[in-house]
Amino acid sequence: MADWLKSVLPADCPPHSGLMLGRAGSDKAMDRGGLKLSSPAFGPGGELDPCFTADEEDAVAPPLEWTAPPPGTQELAIVVEDATTDDPACHWLVWGLPGQKGKLLEGEVPPRVGKNSLGNSEWMLPALPKDGPAHTFVFQLFALDLPLTLMPGATREQLLGEMDGHVIAASVLTATYQPSDEEDWDEDDDDFEL
């Protein structure tokens, strides 16, 4: 992994050179023009709520917000990957976002979505074993100097090919998740006593 990439990821993040950020980004692009990706649902390095994972019914993608990108930005793209897996598992490929300050609401369907690691064009819910280690999810925002011509349902490699050489700024936000091994309490349980 490049030294610049190590410097923008948390110390406990697995050093994965296969992340989209390592392949399409650069040290000069990081946070250029004050570009920052954040979420009202978790802070940098914070924990994902189960409502964004396979551990809850009706789970959805988390909300994201970003500041205005540098001048010359034509489009924004978001890639979310699990850095803890051998190959970074792709949870979300999003593009077609206007090149301006903006946000995606919780569960909002973006304008263009590509195939995740399961081959679906949607937010891939993290599904982790309860006895396994915590996983680190890397939310990557890219400001591009041209509009992408990809059709919805494109693959990660197709998106990477279109972005190559056109990333003028990037920002990263990480979150962790480890399922709780506590059993859900059911208030209708007949064995419950005060």
Side-chain angles (χ1 to χ4, degrees):
M1 179 188 285
D3 288 341
W4 71 266
L5 190 52
K6 289 180 188 173
S7 71
V8 300
L9 295 173
D12 59 350
C13 181
H16 215 305
S17 58
L19 289 170
M20 185 76 90
L21 187 64
R23 297 177 67 188
S26 68
D27 57 340
K28 292 177 184 172
M30 285 309 303
D31 302 325
R32 183 171 168 229
L35 182 65
K36 285 288 181 193
L37 178 64
S38 62
S39 175
F42 58 90
E47 186 169 349
L48 280 180
D49 189 279
C51 70
F52 306 124
T53 76
D55 288 340
E56 284 198 8
E57 290 183 28
D58 302 321
V60 295
L64 297 172
E65 300 176 349
W66 52 90
T67 60
T73 301
Q74 298 292 308
E75 185 172 316
L76 297 171
I78 295 172
V79 178
V80 183
E81 296 172 302
D82 183 348
T84 313
T85 54
D86 290 339
D87 251 346
C90 181
H91 284 260
W92 216 15
L93 291 177
V94 175
W95 65 93
L97 300 168
Q100 60 194 28
K101 176 181 177 180
K103 63 184 173 181
L104 286 172
L105 301 175
E106 183 175 312
E108 181 178 347
V109 178
R112 299 272 190 272
V113 183
K115 290 189 169 96
N116 59 35
S117 288
L118 293 179
N120 302 319
S121 294
E122 58 192 26
W123 166 250
M124 185 173 85
L125 299 171
L128 307 176
K130 291 189 184 293
D131 58 350
H135 282 225
T136 299
F137 297 89
V138 184
F139 293 73
Q140 303 153 87
L141 174 67
F142 300 95
L144 309 170
D145 65 4
L146 82 172
L148 300 180
T149 58
L150 287 174
M151 295 299 290
T155 65
R156 180 179 180 271
E157 288 305 312
Q158 288 172 324
L159 177 60
L160 178 62
E162 289 279 314
M163 287 176 29
D164 189 32
H166 296 286
V167 175
I168 58 175
S171 183
V172 67
L173 174 68
T174 62
T176 61
Y177 186 67
Q178 184 171 24
S180 170
D181 57 4
E182 296 176 9
E183 294 294 324
D184 291 336
W185 172 66
D186 184 353
E187 65 181 65
D188 296 327
D189 189 343
D190 292 335
D191 295 331
F192 176 74
E193 296 179 9
L194 289 175

